[in-house]
Amino acid sequence: MRHRIIVLGAGYTGAFAAGRLARRLRREDVAITLVNADPDFVERVRMHQLAVGQDLKSRPFSGMFAGTGVELKLAKVTGVDVGRKTVAVADANGAEELAYDTLVYALGSGWDTQGVPGTAEHAFEIAGRPGALRLRERLARLDAGQTVVVVGGGLTGLEAATEIAETRPDLDVALAARGGLGDWLSPKGREHLRRVVGRLGITVYENAAVTGVEADHVATADGTAIPAAVTVWTAGFAVHPIAKATALEVTGAGQIVVDGTMRSVSHPDVYAVGDAAMVMGPGDKPLRMSCASGVPTAWQAADAIAARLTGGKLPNVPIRYFNQCVSLGRKEGLIQYVTAEDRAARAVLTGRLAAVYKELVCKGAAWGVANPMFGMPTRRRRVTRERAAAGSAVAASA
Ligand SMILES: Cc1cc2nc3c(=O)[nH]c(=O)nc-3n(C[C@H](O)[C@H](O)[C@H](O)COP(=O)(O)OP(=O)(O)OC[C@H]3O[C@@H](n4cnc5c(N)ncnc54)[C@H](O)[C@@H]3O)c2cc1C
């Protein structure tokens, strides 16, 4: 009987994990199922582009995984039972239960309203495709001179505000940041950011803690009311509640706590990757939710699963940061080089070259997902019955 591996979520990390597992393990030995709600790959890192009216390349999974041995299951995950080792899914044909021997949880995240009053009712978000399409439709109906306030001065907020301002110079775009504009960047990075933001005519509200969102304005802690025909909320991501409803050990926010091989610390037959996982990075700091750190967690998990099933060497590659790649519209960008712990180094790359660099990074990530069997040596190793059984036994006693 083949060892059943189910990967939940085919975003950047789930898709990479499934592809890598298929490259590492023999088809005769494992049945890999990739479960995703959508039939095509969503490039989340381009949601601000989608929101301003750009059309993204269609990337159907059926083509990507054809011939790889990965079975695609298009369904919504509604629950996980880690005791019975089953996943509950639902699609147009009804509900169903899938049994696994090893689970890779990669359901990603959505937007985080942080409980700020009025946000859920009045704000728009770009953490996923439905939200970005809703904003796209709304932006298209705005008249010249109307105001758009982007809440959140992090990477997503900067990308959203600049993209909107570049595409719609007729709008009055503002950015509300809790701290100073780009205050984590190096002096050169900050200076470049200020220059671009100024050139695009974006009004910046610094040290602005947003305490409420209304239909026509955003309220801040110091009593300022920032007029907003449209509020775009980019103040962080929150994980889906599915993991929290299981017996898995999770953080208060619901991320699955894993060890260095991305294996759940409470349930050894479960692995978690990407935004859904709480992974300690360099300097004993949790990795932030990003593709930059999420994709290496997928590689690490796939290699660890393969190693455990075949008796190979466990991977022990430290996950570190190299740079933060920020698009500032289509013509400008900022590549901030960082230390392993994600602290800004002095060096930056700016201007059109940085925009091209960022574009190549996005293209490269999507290409990697779309070509799951490319690259790495295809050394498929044999799963030993004893190892597969040992894995299940450990899991059963957990
Ligand atoms: C606008 C924007 C710009 C960004 N820019 C960058 C950047 O420049 N660099 C960077 O490193 N990071 C960036 N990020 C963050 C990055 O996109 C995420 O960290 C990354 O997508 C996480 O990957 P993931 O695989 O964990 O989750 P996701 O990519 O979110 O994938 C999760 C998958 O699971 C599926 N799913 C979720 N729930 C269910 C369910 N119940 N049933 C079935 N399927 C389900 C989803 O449809 C999706 O396919 C950006 C994010 C946004 C929103």
Side-chain angles (χ1 to χ4, degrees):
M1 190 170 141
R2 292 192 296 167
H3 186 88
R4 297 160 302 180
I5 303 176
I6 298 185
V7 181
L8 301 184
Y12 290 95
T13 64
F16 267 114
R20 190 141 167 147
L21 283 164
R23 279 201 303 260
R24 291 276 191 245
L25 299 165
R26 290 168 24 123
R27 283 184 206 178
E28 300 79 9
D29 298 338
V30 289
I32 303 170
T33 306
L34 178 59
V35 185
N36 199 64
D38 296 312
D40 57 340
F41 176 63
V42 175
E43 286 183 86
R44 258 185 91 186
V45 301
R46 292 191 192 271
M47 288 302 101
H48 53 299
Q49 296 175 237
L50 186 66
V52 298
Q54 293 166 33
D55 289 326
L56 305 184
K57 191 169 174 188
S58 160
R59 300 177 184 276
F61 286 121
S62 51
M64 291 181 196
F65 285 97
T68 63
V70 174
E71 191 195 327
L72 197 60
K73 174 86 186 164
L74 296 179
K76 191 170 162 56
V77 178
T78 54
V80 176
D81 186 332
V82 289
R84 293 174 50 239
K85 301 194 357 179
T86 57
V87 175
V89 298
D91 60 16
N93 300 320
E96 193 185 341
E97 232 177 40
L98 311 173
Y100 64 82
D101 297 305
T102 297
L103 184 72
V104 181
Y105 186 105
L107 290 181
S109 63
W111 68 316
D112 185 2
T113 65
Q114 300 182 358
V116 172
T119 303
E121 295 84 346
H122 302 299
F124 290 78
E125 51 100 5
I126 53 168
R129 186 163 54 187
L133 288 174
R134 206 176 134 250
L135 175 60
R136 176 181 172 122
E137 191 267 328
R138 181 73 187 100
L139 287 176
R141 284 192 289 111
L142 285 185
D143 295 325
Q146 286 195 280
T147 49
V148 177
V149 176
V150 176
V151 178
L155 299 174
T156 311
L158 296 179
E159 294 199 326
T162 49
E163 200 79 41
I164 295 169
E166 184 188 85
T167 312
R168 291 290 306 272
D170 58 321
L171 296 177
D172 189 355
V173 180
L175 178 74
R178 190 185 283 277
L181 181 68
D183 54 8
W184 71 93
L185 297 167
S186 64
K188 272 190 191 158
R190 273 200 302 273
E191 195 187 304
H192 181 69
L193 177 62
R194 277 199 188 276
R195 223 181 1 251
V196 175
V197 162
R199 206 185 301 145
L200 290 170
I202 299 170
T203 308
V204 180
Y205 294 85
E206 293 179 290
N207 305 310
V210 172
T211 51
V213 180
E214 298 289 341
D216 59 354
H217 73 273
V218 161
T220 65
D222 65 2
T224 308
I226 308 172
V230 169
T231 299
V232 184
W233 190 265
T234 68
F237 301 133
V239 296
H240 302 296
I242 292 175
K244 208 170 185 173
T246 68
L248 286 165
E249 184 171 330
V250 297
T251 62
Q255 281 179 308
I256 299 172
V257 183
V258 295
D259 65 15
T261 65
M262 308 306 133
R263 191 185 213 182
S264 154
V265 295
S266 62
H267 290 75
D269 49 2
V270 177
Y271 291 72
V273 295
D275 289 0
M278 209 292 283
V279 184
M280 290 314 278
D284 265 350
K285 262 176 46 188
L287 296 178
R288 69 181 154 85
M289 292 185 188
S290 68
C291 275
S293 55
V295 169
T297 67
W299 295 336
Q300 191 100 317
D303 290 355
I305 292 167
R308 287 194 171 109
L309 289 176
T310 61
K313 197 166 171 287
L314 274 179
N316 186 19
V317 184
I319 296 174
R320 56 152 299 166
Y321 293 93
F322 294 95
N323 52 34
Q324 295 176 2
C325 304
V326 197
S327 68
L328 301 171
R330 291 301 88 202
K331 303 185 193 95
E332 266 290 354
L334 170 62
I335 309 301
Q336 172 66 65
Y337 294 95
V338 295
T339 63
E341 296 92 24
D342 207 24
R343 273 198 303 273
R346 279 178 53 186
V348 291
L349 187 67
T350 59
R352 190 171 279 275
L353 198 56
V356 171
Y357 186 113
K358 169 75 198 247
E359 178 58 24
L360 288 177
V361 168
C362 295
K363 276 204 171 107
W367 191 90
V369 168
N371 294 275
M373 302 308 274
F374 185 84
M376 319 240 328
T378 314
R379 280 184 50 221
R380 298 217 177 95
R381 300 183 58 141
R382 167 162 269 157
V383 174
T384 66
R385 269 179 207 289
E386 302 74 41
R387 299 244 166 218
S392 301
V394 173
S397 63

